[in-house]
Amino acid sequence: MNENKSNKRIKWKIFLPPWLILVAILIVSSVSYDTFTALMTSAQNYVVMNFQWLFSSTALIATILMACCLFLPIKNVRFGGRNCRPMMKYSTYVWIVLCTYLAAGILLWACAEPLIHIYNPPANITEGAGSGAAIRWAMQTMFLEWSFSPAAIYGLPGLLFAFVFFNMKKSYSLGSMFSPTLRDGVITRISPAIECVSLFCLVCGIAASMGFGVMLLSGGVSDLFGIKNGTYLYIICGTAIVVAFIASAASGVLNGIRILSNINSTAYFILGGFVLLAGPTSYILDLLVENIGGYLTNFFTIGLWTSASAGDGWSRWWPTFYICCWLAWMPIAALFLGKISRGFTVREATMALFVLPSIFSMCWIGIFSGTAIHFDLNGIGIYDAVVANGTEAGVFTVLRNLPLSQITIPLFLLIAFFAFVTAADSNTNAMAGLCSEGMTTEDTEAPMILKILWGGIAGILCLVAVCGTGIDGIKALCNVGGFPAAIMFVFFLVGWVKIMINPAKYDVYQEDYDEHGHPIKSKRLPPAGEENHIGLLDRLKSRVPKPNGAPAPSLSSDRRESVPVSEIAK
């Protein structure tokens, strides 16, 4: 292990180009902010005007393919072979994925966005603002933007990278993900450019997501302590976030990220359960059930909707913005999600990367969006607070109108802080790994200096956007960063389809397939280092007397290994 670490070096041809471009952007913004804004706006307008069809269609296709992974034979393929041990327990894996996905975005938008949609609906809602149709549209749009579609945009490339890295034994690089679709010679030539573009995209995505976190935290601190919200508070909150996620990333995946994810997942359930019980419970559940049905019924319609018929361009600033944001994070997130999927099957990974986060997001949206809508319809004025004090005011107004706000608001701020730190931590870890040589399937930790440099540049870019143009600047960063990633995503979709059709053709573990080329089911082994762990159920079973005086089974460390049928018969 130490030898591997000492052999790691920085890939300067991958690190320098995007980092220098980002530094140049920051210099331009400091010299002439108007020029910076004009460039960002022009790039954003070009992307959303011409490529909405690409964003919507690829997101829908990815969602369908992820659902297929639960049922097709590829579900039994185990990343790293059937004898590969996972990096962590499955529950830890699920929590890390959940916190990586959610970041601070859903916390900021869950209360404010549905009200914005209700009172500013698109032209196709002919019943008008504040109508029942507008409420249904708002909730179903929230489900589109925060559940299965974004989970598929993250999850499918994660599955692809896990297969390519662990089962095809390709290098730790984004270029490796093109292996099923392009020749090795072509990949070698284009891989540096792909990785440079991906790093640029992700810094834009992290900066945009960090902007949500900064706005949320500064709004909460302002609400709690009566401090004026503005540039200075943005800088303080942004600095705190950057320092925290760099420190966490420096400690490694199995330390900082694991601990933060476990803390945050517990806090999510406590706060969500409290709001469900203390808020308008019946209304929340009715609205949730009704609109899950509407979302599933209209899945293809809203998933491919671009507002072209109405011509109002509404979707450019909402569904398209979110898809761009997910896509900007997608390439580097794939490396992180793929590497922590070692030892799990495709089906196990699909549940963790696609199904469970989507269900959690829909429940969270149902609870917080439902509460905000109910309060606003009953005269509490959540939407007025959003208009007067910004997007972040929505959730704090909701919490102030529930019991125990002195406890729930600080808890919410803690969740928001740890949520973003966990997400930025995981992606900074992956970014640094992409710029490092010497990464192996057993050691995927990158040099700390790279984590510091990437975290710092993302933090500065975030503060430039937030302090300058607020939400509009954040959206521009997302749209610009998402476009190049969308092109790569097309290749990833094609590559995963080819693997799904015939995984045995690409897998080096040929012994994991039967004579027909179908993956053989295998049992998940305990994580490395937990071979001797004995669970409570096993301990109880060991104490139960066996018939005819037969001895209790041994609880040795190899209790999970398979036993030949002939031995059992004896």
Side-chain angles (χ1 to χ4, degrees):
M1 183 69 72
N2 292 334
E3 182 180 355
N4 285 341
K5 289 183 179 178
S6 64
N7 289 333
K8 290 178 186 172
R9 298 182 303 277
I10 297 175
K11 296 184 193 176
W12 292 106
K13 65 180 180 179
I14 304 299
F15 168 74
L16 277 180
W19 199 81
L20 291 176
I21 290 172
L22 290 162
V23 170
I25 290 174
L26 292 176
I27 292 173
V28 170
S29 69
S30 63
V31 173
S32 175
Y33 192 80
D34 291 340
T35 302
F36 169 74
T37 304
L39 290 172
M40 292 295 292
T41 302
S42 298
Q44 171 198 243
N45 289 341
Y46 177 80
V47 168
V48 298
M49 288 288 290
N50 294 284
F51 295 99
Q52 273 190 290
W53 60 270
L54 177 64
F55 300 136
S56 298
S57 58
T58 51
L60 182 73
I61 292 169
T63 305
I64 294 171
L65 292 178
M66 287 296 287
C68 291
C69 291
L70 296 170
F71 307 103
L72 296 180
I74 195 173
K75 67 182 181 181
N76 293 322
V77 171
R78 189 171 296 280
F79 296 123
R82 59 185 174 185
N83 295 318
C84 182
R85 295 186 183 277
M87 293 176 63
M88 62 195 76
K89 294 187 292 186
Y90 190 71
S91 59
T92 301
Y93 174 57
V94 170
W95 299 138
I96 289 178
V97 170
L98 181 64
C99 293
T100 299
Y101 277 14
L102 295 182
I106 196 173
L107 305 179
L108 176 68
W109 290 106
C111 291
E113 185 182 341
L115 294 173
I116 295 173
H117 295 339
I118 289 169
Y119 294 111
N120 301 275
N124 60 300
I125 303 300
T126 56
E127 292 87 341
S131 64
I135 294 174
R136 290 191 295 274
W137 177 265
M139 289 298 295
Q140 291 171 32
T141 300
M142 290 292 290
F143 290 151
L144 171 69
E145 295 167 347
W146 291 102
S147 63
F148 291 103
S149 294
I153 291 173
Y154 272 6
L156 186 141
L159 296 179
L160 176 62
F161 180 73
F163 188 91
V164 166
F165 186 52
F166 293 114
N167 293 64
M168 294 177 65
K169 298 298 182 182
K170 299 294 183 179
S171 63
Y172 189 96
S173 69
L174 282 170
S176 297
M177 296 172 68
F178 290 82
S179 297
T181 54
L182 299 176
R183 296 191 303 272
D184 288 343
V186 175
I187 294 173
T188 301
R189 290 193 295 272
I190 68 172
S191 186
I194 290 169
E195 291 167 0
C196 289
V197 170
S198 299
L199 287 169
F200 176 82
C201 292
L202 184 62
V203 171
C204 290
I206 286 182
S209 183
M210 187 188 301
F212 296 148
V214 168
M215 294 177 69
L216 195 60
L217 287 175
S218 62
V221 171
S222 175
D223 186 88
L224 274 178
F225 302 107
I227 302 172
K228 183 180 179 181
N229 198 3
T231 300
Y232 292 113
L233 194 53
Y234 288 156
I235 292 173
I236 293 171
C237 292
T239 302
I241 289 175
V242 171
V243 170
F245 80 70
I246 289 176
S248 178
S251 66
V253 173
L254 294 181
N255 295 310
I257 298 177
R258 176 182 58 82
I259 294 169
L260 289 176
S261 298
N262 288 335
I263 293 172
N264 227 32
S265 58
T266 303
Y268 272 126
F269 281 98
I270 292 173
L271 184 60
F274 170 79
V275 174
L276 175 63
L277 297 176
T281 307
S282 297
Y283 182 81
I284 290 171
L285 296 176
D286 286 342
L287 193 69
L288 178 63
V289 171
E290 177 184 57
N291 286 286
I292 286 177
Y295 167 66
L296 296 177
T297 301
N298 301 316
F299 174 72
F300 288 95
T301 300
I302 63 175
L304 295 176
W305 182 73
T306 61
S307 67
S309 302
D312 62 351
W314 189 90
S315 66
R316 296 172 192 163
W317 280 99
W318 293 108
T320 301
F321 153 64
Y322 280 113
I323 294 174
C324 286
C325 193
W326 302 124
L327 286 170
W329 286 64
M330 176 272 300
I332 310 299
L335 299 184
F336 176 76
L337 296 172
K339 80 174 184 179
I340 65 172
S341 299
R342 185 185 74 194
F344 299 114
T345 63
V346 169
R347 189 177 189 278
E348 290 168 342
T350 301
M351 290 295 297
L353 298 176
F354 179 65
V355 178
L356 297 178
S358 300
I359 293 173
F360 180 88
S361 294
M362 295 176 85
C363 292
W364 186 271
I365 289 167
I367 292 170
F368 280 83
S369 298
T371 302
I373 292 171
H374 184 271
F375 281 1
D376 196 79
L377 294 177
N378 285 273
I380 292 180
I382 309 298
Y383 179 66
D384 292 338
V386 171
V387 173
N389 301 307
T391 309
E392 62 272 20
V395 65
F396 297 115
T397 307
V398 167
L399 292 175
R400 274 202 310 272
N401 284 277
L402 291 170
L404 304 177
S405 61
Q406 297 88 346
I407 297 174
T408 57
I409 291 178
L411 176 61
F412 182 85
L413 288 175
L414 186 68
I415 292 174
F417 182 78
F418 283 136
F420 181 77
V421 168
T422 306
D425 178 346
S426 61
N427 285 283
T428 303
N429 198 300
M431 290 168 70
L434 198 60
C435 303
S436 304
E437 291 183 291
M439 306 288 281
T440 68
T441 57
E442 299 299 325
D443 180 12
T444 54
E445 289 298 331
M448 185 172 61
I449 184 63
L450 290 174
K451 301 174 185 178
I452 295 172
L453 289 173
W454 284 122
I457 198 76
I460 296 171
L461 188 61
C462 155
L463 292 175
V464 168
V466 171
C467 296
T469 54
I471 287 290
D472 290 345
I474 293 172
K475 290 188 173 184
L477 284 174
C478 286
N479 289 330
V480 172
F483 173 63
I487 306 300
M488 287 186 279
F489 195 49
V490 173
F491 284 91
F492 296 164
L493 292 175
V494 174
W496 185 246
V497 168
K498 294 178 72 174
I499 291 172
M500 287 175 68
I501 293 172
N502 187 10
K505 176 182 177 181
Y506 302 95
D507 201 331
V508 300
Y509 297 101
Q510 291 296 304
E511 66 275 12
D512 291 356
Y513 297 83
D514 61 22
E515 63 274 15
H516 303 293
H518 296 152
I520 301 171
K521 288 184 178 181
S522 59
K523 187 175 182 179
R524 184 170 73 236
L525 298 176
E530 295 190 12
E531 296 88 345
N532 296 316
H533 174 73
I534 301 173
L536 176 62
L537 186 60
D538 287 336
R539 291 180 184 276
L540 293 175
K541 287 181 178 179
S542 69
R543 296 177 182 275
V544 177
K546 295 299 176 182
N548 302 323
S554 171
L555 289 176
S556 63
S557 61
D558 62 347
R559 70 190 188 286
R560 299 195 182 197
E561 300 295 333
S562 59
V563 180
V565 174
S566 59
E567 292 298 319
I568 296 176
K570 292 179 183 179

